[in-house]
Amino acid sequence: MKKILVANRGEIALRVMRSIREMGLQSVAVYSEADKNAPFVKYADEAVCIGPPASSESYLRADKIIQVCNNLNVDAIHPGYGFLSENANFARLVAQHGITFIGPSPEAMEIMGDKLSAKAAVKSYNIPMVPGTDEAITDIPAAKKIAKEVGYPILIKASAGGGGKGMRIVSSEEEFEEQMKLAINEAVSAFGNGAVFIERYVGSPRHIEIQIMADSHGNIVPIFERECSIQRRHQKVIEEAPSSVLTPELRKEMGEKAADVARACDYVGAGTVEFLLDENLNFYFLEMNTRLQVEHPVTEMISGIDLVREQILVAQGHPLSFKQEDLHINGHAIEVRVYAEDPRNNFLPDIGLLKTYRQPIGLGVRVDDGFEEGMQIPIYYDPMISKLIVHGKDREQAIERMIRAIDEYRITGIETTLPFCKFVMRHDAFVSGKFDTHFVNNYFKPEFLDVELPESAQEVAAIFSAILVDEQKNKYKETENPNSSSTWKVVRR
Ligand code: MV4
C-alpha cells in the first residue's frame, strides 16, 4: 500500500493525510468546486476535482471516486466520517475494483447499520440492553402488552434510524397507537424502512461510548471511553475522555462488552460502541458506529495512540501495534466543536467570510481544522469549522486550559459556538461532573452568553443554577423554547 485516497473534505481529510504522510505514504485528495482552495487540497500529494459543490454531485459520487483511484493507481481509500463512510455498498464496490477500503467489512457495516439486526447479532454475548422489544413491531396489541410490562414512558425507535432521528416518546398507553403510526410513517419516509421497536425510556442518561480497535488477526482492544452527554438536538458539542463518572471497574466491564459487540460482527478497524448510562450507573448497549468518529482526538490524547495510523496498519494486514496491557489513561482531554452557528440566535448557521482566523496554541492545545483566514465557509456542508482539543494532567486542568484556549481563539466575520462552549466550561454542573444529556435544555439560555463574569466562575455558576432550579422542564420532554422568559434579567449585573 503506497497511495491512499481520502474520500472526504475539511478537517478530517487533513487529519487523515497527516498520518498518511507520517507513515511515508502518498495522499490523494478528491474535492468539489467549493473546496478548491481548502487546506486539505493543498496538503495532498495529488488532488482531483470531482464535481460541483453539492455532495450528491461530488463527495457522494462513488463512481467518480473509483475513477480517480484507477487513473492515479490508488491502493486504498480512507472514507473519514459522514459521506460514504458507513455505506456498505460503497465498501463493496471499492473491494470489487481491487482497492482496499480502510474500515470494516461491508457485512459488519450492514449488521451494525440496523439497530434490530445489531441487537440480534449480539444476542449470544450477554450484552446489557434497555428492556423492550427485540423485533420490529407488527402486532399492536402485543406491542402494547410489552410496553406495559417495561413501563411508561417508552421510546419508539426506528431500526434504520440513528442520531435520534425517528425517535418518539410515548408517556401512556392512550398515546401508543397514534405515536406508533407516526413513527412508522416517519421511518418509511426518512429511511425507506418502517421497522420500529420499543425501549423503556431512560430519563436522565449519559452518553458513554467505547473506542475499539480490531485487527484481522482476532485482536480486539477497547481504548477507554469518551463521554458525549453535552449535545444539542442530537448534535454533540463537547466530548471528553475519560468520563468523569466511570470507575475503573465499570470501564473494564464496558470495554469488555464493547469488544464482544465488535466480536459479534467480526469487526476489523476502528469502531465505537455507544452506551447509555443511567443514574444508578447501569449501562445499556445502543448501537455501534463503524467509522472513525469526529471526537476521536480525545481518545488519542489520553492514550497516545494515533487511531488513523492504526486503521491503516490494520488495513495493510498488520496486527495492532499495542496490547490491552500497554494502555494507560494519561490525564484528561476535552474537545469542543466550533460551529459557524450563532448561539445567541437559536444556533442558526452563520456561514460567510472568515475575516480573522487565528487558532490558539501552547501547551496541551490541539486544533483540528480545515479553514484559513480569508476563506469563505461553504453553505453546502456541515457548518463545523474546527475542533478545539485540550489535554491536561486532570479534568480541572483540562477545563482551565480549554477556557484559556477559547479566549485565545480569534474568529471574526462569522458567529461561532465558542461563547457557548465557554459557558459550558464554566457551568457548575459541567465542572462538578453532575450532568446528563439534558444539560443544554436544562441550563442554557442565550442571555447567559453576554454576562460579564466576576472574580469567581463558581459564583456565577451558582447564580445560574439557582435561577434554573424552578425552570427545569419536565425531564423526559425534549422541549426547546428559546423565547421563554427568564428571571436572569432581574439579577443581571
Ligand atoms: C435513548 C434515550 C433514552 N432511553 N434510549 C438519542 C440518539 C440515539 N443514539 C439514542 N438516543 C437516546 N436513546 C432510551 N431507551 C435517550 C436518547 C437521547 C440521547 C442519547 C445520547 C445523547 C443525547 C441524547 C439526547 C436525547 C435523547
Side-chain angles (χ1 to χ4, degrees):
M1 191 187 288
K2 293 196 184 78
K3 201 187 269 191
I4 301 175
L5 180 145
V6 181
N8 217 296
R9 62 178 299 281
E11 60 86 20
I12 193 61
L14 192 54
R15 157 73 192 90
V16 170
M17 287 176 195
R18 286 185 165 128
S19 290
I20 291 174
R21 183 165 293 178
E22 285 181 20
M23 296 173 83
L25 306 171
Q26 299 288 302
S27 60
V28 176
V30 285
Y31 64 96
S32 79
E33 285 161 17
D35 284 332
K36 62 177 188 293
N37 298 317
F40 81 91
V41 175
K42 295 179 204 155
Y43 191 94
D45 295 303
E46 294 171 272
V48 181
C49 182
I50 51 166
S55 304
S56 59
E57 297 186 62
S58 50
Y59 298 107
L60 291 172
R61 285 289 296 268
D63 55 337
K64 290 191 181 180
I65 293 166
I66 286 173
Q67 181 79 56
V68 173
C69 291
N70 290 336
N71 294 347
L72 300 185
N73 270 317
V74 166
D75 303 301
I77 295 181
H78 193 300
Y81 55 72
F83 296 123
L84 295 165
S85 63
E86 291 176 283
N87 186 320
N89 289 330
F90 177 65
R92 222 168 254 133
L93 192 68
V94 169
Q96 279 161 10
H97 282 80
I99 305 159
T100 302
F101 180 81
I102 301 178
S105 69
E107 292 73 31
M109 287 161 84
E110 250 154 20
I111 291 170
M112 291 301 159
D114 181 275
K115 296 207 185 82
L116 284 169
S117 76
K119 285 182 192 238
V122 304
K123 206 153 188 176
S124 60
Y125 286 87
N126 198 20
I127 309 290
M129 283 186 272
V130 189
T133 54
D134 54 12
E135 270 170 62
I137 306 171
T138 44
D139 178 340
I140 292 180
K144 276 188 175 171
K145 192 161 164 275
I146 293 171
K148 201 170 201 160
E149 280 163 21
V150 306
Y152 287 94
I154 57 124
L155 258 185
I156 303 179
K157 293 185 175 183
S159 188
K165 243 189 250 160
M167 266 178 30
R168 284 186 166 264
I169 299 168
V170 185
S171 42
S172 69
E173 185 163 326
E174 291 77 71
E175 297 171 20
F176 186 90
E177 203 158 330
E178 188 195 342
Q179 291 296 331
M180 200 192 86
K181 284 177 178 156
L182 288 169
I184 293 174
N185 285 340
E186 233 170 74
V188 170
S189 62
F191 315 111
N193 173 359
V196 299
F197 61 98
I198 292 172
E199 278 181 4
R200 195 187 78 223
Y201 181 74
V202 181
S204 302
R206 300 174 72 122
H207 172 125
I208 310 281
E209 55 185 39
I210 308 286
Q211 174 71 53
I212 67 110
M213 243 352 284
D215 63 25
S216 55
H217 305 270
N219 302 302
I220 306 178
V221 182
I223 315 177
F224 314 119
E225 78 281 4
R226 295 182 287 262
E227 166 140 24
C228 319
S229 297
I230 314 272
Q231 310 202 354
R232 200 190 147 267
R233 300 196 170 169
H234 301 295
Q235 177 166 280
K236 293 167 184 163
V237 228
I238 286 154
E239 302 106 344
E240 62 182 310
S243 161
S244 54
V245 280
L246 290 205
T247 58
E249 295 72 36
L250 194 51
R251 175 170 301 121
K252 184 160 181 282
E253 205 185 328
M254 291 178 80
E256 283 165 6
K257 294 298 180 189
D260 280 344
V261 171
R263 202 163 283 124
C265 62
D266 289 320
Y267 201 83
V268 172
T272 297
V273 182
E274 274 185 36
F275 294 97
L276 282 184
L277 186 73
D278 74 14
E279 291 138 306
N280 302 317
L281 300 184
N282 298 304
F283 65 91
Y284 309 96
F285 168 57
L286 276 189
E287 56 191 90
M288 179 171 190
N289 300 316
T290 57
R291 58 164 193 277
L292 184 73
Q293 303 228 153
V294 176
E295 59 272 24
H296 75 277
V298 292
T299 300
E300 295 186 323
M301 303 310 277
I302 63 154
S303 67
I305 288 168
D306 176 342
L307 289 170
V308 174
R309 182 188 184 93
E310 295 301 323
Q311 283 186 298
I312 294 169
L313 288 174
V314 161
Q316 289 171 329
H318 296 294
L320 292 173
S321 74
F322 55 90
K323 301 219 168 342
Q324 186 73 71
E325 53 271 28
D326 301 329
L327 297 182
H328 302 281
I329 297 180
N330 174 23
H332 199 96
I334 304 177
E335 169 178 289
V336 304
R337 298 190 189 184
V338 185
Y339 287 98
E341 292 175 347
D342 185 359
R344 291 180 183 83
N345 190 12
N346 203 24
F347 294 85
L348 276 172
D350 191 42
I351 33 122
L353 181 75
L354 267 182
K355 201 160 163 288
T356 317
Y357 184 74
R358 283 201 300 276
Q359 303 98 324
I361 49 174
L363 183 62
V365 177
R366 163 177 172 181
V367 179
D368 279 21
D369 62 7
F371 290 103
E372 279 162 2
E373 192 166 275
M375 280 179 65
Q376 197 79 28
I377 312 254
I379 55 168
Y380 305 95
Y381 317 106
D382 185 272
M384 191 176 80
I385 44 184
S386 85
K387 303 183 307 207
L388 169 55
I389 306 115
V390 298
H391 183 242
K393 70 173 163 46
D394 53 25
R395 192 168 185 269
E396 193 185 345
Q397 188 178 65
I399 293 174
E400 288 168 357
R401 194 158 274 164
M402 180 62 84
I403 293 171
R404 184 270 288 177
I406 290 173
D407 286 341
E408 273 182 27
Y409 221 139
R410 288 282 172 273
I411 302 179
T412 68
I414 56 162
E415 296 298 326
T416 77
T417 48
L418 277 172
F420 170 76
C421 296
K422 187 170 168 182
F423 163 83
V424 178
M425 288 301 127
R426 296 196 292 196
H427 197 285
D428 191 41
F430 183 76
V431 172
S432 66
K434 294 191 191 92
F435 57 89
D436 59 31
T437 56
H438 301 288
F439 180 94
V440 181
N441 285 336
N442 283 349
Y443 301 124
F444 177 67
K445 285 183 184 293
E447 297 92 298
F448 295 166
L449 295 176
D450 298 305
V451 173
E452 260 187 55
L453 272 193
E455 326 68 56
S456 142
Q458 278 72 19
E459 196 184 317
V460 177
I463 297 171
F464 288 161
S465 308
I467 293 164
L468 280 151
V469 161
D470 50 12
E471 288 190 13
Q472 287 208 13
K473 303 263 157 61
N474 204 343
K475 276 259 168 169
Y476 65 83
K477 280 204 179 127
E478 286 287 301
T479 52
E480 283 185 66
N481 183 0
N483 299 319
S484 66
S485 69
S486 163
T487 47
W488 175 246
K489 291 171 195 83
V490 185
V491 289
R492 183 171 174 172
R493 23 175 135 186

